[in-house]
Amino acid sequence: MTPVIDVRGVHRIYDSGGVPTHALRGVTLQVQRGEFLCIMGPSGSGKSTLMNILGCLDTPTSGTYLLEGLDVSKLDDDELARIRAARIGFVFQSFNLLPRSTVMRNVMLPLLYTDVPRADRERRACEALGAVGLPAEYYDHRSNELSGGQMQRVAIARALVNDPALVLADEPTGNLDSATSEVVMRTFLKMREAGKTVVLITHDAEVATWADRCVHIRDGRLLTDEQERELVARSASRGRGRT
Amino acid sequence: MRLRDLWAETWEALDANRGRSLLTVLGIVIGISAVIAMTALIGGVRQGLMTQMGLDRSRVVNMAVYGSQQIKVEDLDKLQKGMPEYEYITGSAMGSGKVASETKSSDGSITGVASHYFDVTGQKLVKGRLFTTGEDDSASTVVILDQSSARNLFGKGKALGEKVRIQGIEYTVVGILEDGQMSDPKSVNAYVPLHTCVQRVTGYDNVDTVAGMVREGEDIDSAVRQTKEYLTSYYHLTGEDADNLYVSSTKSLIDSFNTVMFGFQLLMTSVASISLVVGGIGIMNMMLTNVTERIREIGLRKALGARRSDITRQFLLESVFLTLAGGAIGIVLGYVGAFALAGVATSVLSSAGGSDGGLSLTITPVIEPMAVLVATGICVLIGVVFGYYPARRAARLDPVESLHYQ
Ligand SMILES: Nc1ncnc2c1ncn2[C@@H]1O[C@H](COP(=O)(O)OP(=O)(O)OP(=O)(O)O)[C@@H](O)[C@H]1O
Ligand SMILES: [Mg+2]
């Protein structure tokens, strides 16, 4: 079976005027359909950069990215947009809600760029909001009237509303208390059970335990299996040292 | 993206900065109201002049022969037969003399008129009737007065059917005519049948003015040319008499009027174009600011799957809506302004006209659907032209960079 995500030797160099930043230095990664993958790594290690490429928001400077077997680097702006609209649900690290629009409108926004009929949109938005556990009384609030945690849930609902095959979430639980965080993680788990592929970035080792698999990124490179084992051993020994 | 969605998004964006939007369309408002006021006023002036001065009788050709030869009363029928391009040829003879009622007497002009004469001058009968052919042929003593003459002679009493004496002979008033625009309201203008005039008033058989009505569909310029040729041969105008001929249509008058109007129109159009261009640049400026301010929103929309065309259309619709709103305000203001100006102009003209008895021109601005349509078209065009660059800029933004824009 072709993997949903098949990234090979991807580099990403930011070169906008100043000093070029080599954010990704040859990342190779496969994610199978229905897999729940967690990406961890220190700040500035290139997690968001990788996520943008996975979400077809950005293209690699070199290397290939096959999304469900399709070479994304050969697509133009509009073709990428079509893929984002139809196949990908993206939860941004900063929620990126339209501040003056209501929760409802924010969640329905991706549906504007799909074929979903108007009549179905509200229903789908309500379902998505229900899945992240936002109480219905907030649906008509403007999004800048919400708390950080509520905003995060609206942002997740927006990523779910177009029923994407691939859900990408950049620190979705960063602003949530552990109870809400659990609600959100259960939502991702439910999505995985529904056959969707979920990729999630987190700093939180607790959150990482929900995933099927976890990869670590350092300075734009994924750790090798050997390094991963070393890491596990080290954290285990550190754990022992403390007791 | 569906049109209704597009519309909803546009509306929300415009609603968010209503005040600024209104200020921005000011240039468009001024430009469009200038265009509208101008066309409405020019249309009004043209219509006013046409009804007042008979410019609509563009098919009238005036002709005269002078020098040793003159057009005689009996020539009129022959000319009519010789020149079938005319529906009719009419004429008048001018005389003057004392005109008197029972109570009043005044020096006046006495004009002998052939049939259709008033069709050419454009004066309309107010009361009574015109002369019959029989009355003309038999040189009957019947007279038509214009309204001010009737008032001068009979005061407030009724004139129709009363008797007046012209050079001592008694005439019956058979009709009352509206005042011609050349007629002096203080003197008396009496009209009698042509033959009556020739036989009883002037005593010679020259026709002083001759005019023909060119048949509908005939070319006026070629009718003028043919008339010149015909009159030249009819009166044997050769040698030094060759130039003693005058044939002219009111069409040339209309043409020169149109030339003047065209100049005025050109001036107003350039004023309007300048403010429209300035308005358009204002729109472009606002849309560019708009794009910059909403860079994160645009990035988000693109990240969520909006294609370039979705973004382009959204911003184009916004600028077109702005210019259309400006245009709508401009159309209303333009007509309001035109009516106000026309009111002022009419009262100024009539108060000036009252003292010297001249022109009283009523200007009623003309609301032409075509003008409204063209103005609307201009607005859409400006919206598209000046909105295109900002819209395109928005559409080409990179989603990741835009989302990180501060
Ligand atoms: N648009 C950009 N232009 C230039 N450099 C960038 C850009 N975005 C990211 N970088 C650089 O690329 C590197 C990786 O950034 P990235 O955002 O992927 O980190 P991250 O792992 O998501 O960090 P965090 O956990 O803090 O979100 C950083 O050094 C950053 O400065
Ligand atoms: Mg990040």
Side-chain angles (χ1 to χ4, degrees):
Chain A
M1 206 170 89
T2 45
V4 173
I5 291 172
D6 188 350
V7 171
R8 291 183 195 172
V10 158
H11 288 255
R12 179 67 172 98
I13 300 166
Y14 289 110
D15 191 7
S16 50
V19 192
T21 311
H22 208 146
L24 294 179
R25 302 163 186 257
V27 172
T28 298
L29 174 71
Q30 273 89 36
V31 184
Q32 299 300 327
R33 183 177 309 279
E35 201 176 354
F36 186 165
L37 178 80
C38 164
I39 300 175
M40 293 182 81
S43 183
S45 56
K47 304 185 295 295
S48 296
T49 305
L50 177 60
M51 204 61 138
N52 287 340
I53 290 174
L54 297 184
C56 296
L57 285 168
D58 195 8
T59 45
T61 310
S62 66
T64 57
Y65 171 29
L66 304 181
L67 175 64
E68 295 181 313
L70 183 71
D71 189 351
V72 170
S73 56
K74 292 206 170 62
L75 302 181
D76 69 19
D77 217 35
D78 281 354
E79 286 164 327
L80 289 175
R82 229 185 278 262
I83 288 178
R84 293 196 292 269
R87 315 208 58 81
I88 294 168
F90 208 111
V91 183
F92 302 93
Q93 189 166 12
S94 44
F95 335 113
N96 283 322
L97 300 175
L98 294 180
R100 285 190 298 255
S101 294
T102 63
V103 166
M104 232 13 204
R105 279 183 71 89
N106 264 292
V107 175
M108 289 193 294
L109 193 62
L111 299 179
L112 287 181
Y113 307 110
T114 64
D115 297 330
V116 177
R118 282 179 81 90
D120 289 353
R121 292 187 199 158
E122 207 150 322
R123 184 183 51 77
R124 289 178 71 155
C126 287
E127 279 173 15
L129 283 165
V132 295
L134 189 79
E137 72 225 50
Y138 291 106
Y139 290 5
D140 289 326
H141 281 232
R142 298 197 321 177
S143 70
N144 58 0
E145 295 164 355
L146 301 179
S147 76
Q150 288 166 332
M151 285 190 203
Q152 186 65 291
R153 280 185 276 170
V154 175
I156 295 168
R158 184 180 61 192
L160 304 183
V161 77
N162 61 341
D163 194 23
L166 175 60
V167 179
L168 304 171
D170 199 342
E171 293 218 43
T173 55
N175 298 283
L176 305 183
D177 59 56
S178 56
T180 325
S181 166
E182 198 173 315
V183 173
V184 167
M185 292 316 292
R186 282 192 195 288
T187 314
F188 286 122
L189 216 57
K190 245 185 283 169
M191 304 214 62
R192 194 210 51 181
E193 272 150 24
K196 297 181 195 313
T197 311
V198 180
V199 179
L200 184 141
I201 291 175
T202 187
H203 284 293
D204 187 347
E206 186 73 30
V207 166
T209 58
W210 292 82
D212 300 326
R213 179 159 71 103
C214 205
V215 294
H216 292 82
I217 188 167
R218 294 274 187 285
D219 297 327
R221 285 192 193 86
L222 291 184
L223 296 189
T224 58
D225 291 349
E226 199 178 322
Q227 287 170 314
E228 290 275 1
R229 276 194 295 276
E230 224 171 88
L231 188 77
V232 172
R234 221 176 330 131
S235 65
S237 71
R238 218 187 295 139
R240 258 199 311 277
R242 237 182 270 148
T243 48
Chain B
M1 201 173 174
R2 286 150 224 253
L3 198 67
R4 248 181 83 184
D5 298 330
L6 200 61
W7 180 241
E9 297 303 304
T10 304
W11 182 247
E12 202 180 17
L14 285 171
D15 201 38
N17 38 37
R18 231 177 295 166
R20 187 171 64 181
S21 313
L22 265 177
L23 281 180
T24 315
V25 298
L26 206 62
I28 306 289
V29 170
I30 292 170
I32 292 294
S33 34
V35 170
I36 289 292
M38 169 192 75
T39 36
L41 279 176
I42 288 178
V45 169
R46 177 174 288 145
Q47 225 170 50
L49 284 180
M50 278 182 172
T51 47
Q52 292 289 306
M53 293 182 150
L55 285 180
D56 59 336
R57 283 176 297 284
S58 58
R59 291 186 289 126
V60 172
V61 171
N62 293 302
M63 50 194 101
V65 174
Y66 33 93
S68 54
Q69 294 269 20
Q70 305 247 312
I71 302 179
K72 308 267 184 235
V73 172
E74 64 269 22
D75 291 340
L76 286 181
D77 280 345
K78 290 176 198 154
L79 292 178
Q80 165 79 76
K81 285 202 185 71
M83 294 188 287
E85 61 267 30
Y86 289 103
E87 204 176 307
Y88 52 80
I89 289 178
T90 185
S92 70
M94 311 284 196
S96 61
K98 235 179 211 5
V99 183
S101 66
E102 294 276 292
T103 51
K104 271 204 185 140
S105 169
S106 168
D107 277 328
S109 73
I110 298 133
T111 311
V113 299
S115 62
H116 292 299
Y117 178 77
F118 296 119
D119 292 344
V120 168
T121 63
Q123 279 168 281
K124 290 189 182 55
L125 201 65
V126 181
K127 257 183 255 168
R129 59 172 176 83
L130 296 171
F131 305 127
T132 63
T133 327
E135 282 167 342
D136 190 19
D137 291 344
S138 62
S140 299
T141 51
V142 284
V143 66
I144 293 175
L145 298 172
D146 65 17
Q147 282 175 303
S148 50
S149 308
R151 220 171 10 240
N152 287 345
L153 292 171
F154 296 99
K156 289 212 165 59
K158 101 174 175 31
L160 196 66
E162 298 298 313
K163 306 283 188 212
V164 293
R165 302 183 81 79
I166 297 172
Q167 293 179 328
I169 304 171
E170 197 173 73
Y171 286 71
T172 308
V173 179
V174 298
I176 305 291
L177 203 61
E178 69 177 18
D179 287 352
Q181 62 66 222
M182 297 315 237
S183 54
D184 179 356
K186 288 185 194 68
S187 83
V188 167
N189 300 291
Y191 299 90
V192 298
L194 184 60
H195 284 94
T196 310
C197 181
V198 166
Q199 287 171 26
R200 299 177 193 270
V201 182
T202 59
Y204 56 87
D205 60 353
N206 285 346
V207 190
D208 296 306
T209 70
V210 179
M213 181 68 81
V214 178
R215 279 184 204 285
E216 200 112 40
E218 294 274 347
D219 180 54
I220 312 252
D221 291 329
S222 71
V224 167
R225 228 172 14 252
Q226 283 165 22
T227 306
K228 276 182 184 159
E229 284 165 19
Y230 186 80
L231 290 179
T232 304
S233 78
Y234 187 91
Y235 290 104
H236 309 292
L237 301 174
T238 51
E240 58 185 33
D241 283 343
D243 287 336
N244 292 340
L245 176 70
Y246 169 83
V247 182
S248 169
S249 72
T250 42
K251 184 169 171 285
S252 58
L253 190 63
I254 291 175
D255 287 347
S256 57
F257 166 74
N258 280 341
T259 313
V260 173
M261 279 300 165
F262 181 71
F264 178 58
Q265 231 154 347
L266 211 64
L267 186 81
M268 289 295 277
T269 308
S270 41
V271 170
S273 325
I274 290 168
S275 52
L276 285 176
V277 168
V278 171
I281 292 171
I283 296 275
M284 177 142 86
N285 185 36
M286 157 152 179
M287 291 309 293
L288 282 174
T289 316
N290 219 342
V291 170
T292 314
E293 275 177 4
R294 285 157 64 190
I295 227 164
R296 285 174 65 92
E297 177 200 325
I298 298 163
L300 177 69
R301 285 175 188 273
K302 288 202 76 172
L304 295 179
R307 275 166 289 163
R308 283 184 178 180
S309 58
D310 294 320
I311 304 291
T312 311
R313 276 188 281 168
Q314 189 185 335
F315 279 85
L316 266 189
L317 190 67
E318 246 180 83
S319 68
V320 168
F321 181 85
L322 279 177
T323 52
L324 270 181
I329 299 171
I331 288 171
V332 172
L333 281 186
Y335 280 122
V336 169
F339 275 94
L341 272 178
V344 172
T346 301
S347 66
V348 165
L349 277 178
S350 65
S351 67
S355 54
D356 63 10
L359 189 70
S360 76
L361 183 62
T362 310
I363 304 169
T364 313
V366 186
I367 298 181
E368 281 176 273
M370 196 58 201
V372 174
L373 216 69
V374 168
T376 311
I378 290 174
C379 288
V380 173
L381 193 74
I382 291 175
V384 170
V385 167
F386 290 95
Y388 182 74
Y389 172 66
R392 198 180 105 115
R393 217 158 100 154
R396 289 173 174 244
L397 285 172
D398 178 76
V400 177
E401 276 174 35
S402 312
L403 279 173
H404 287 131
Y405 182 86
Q406 292 306 321

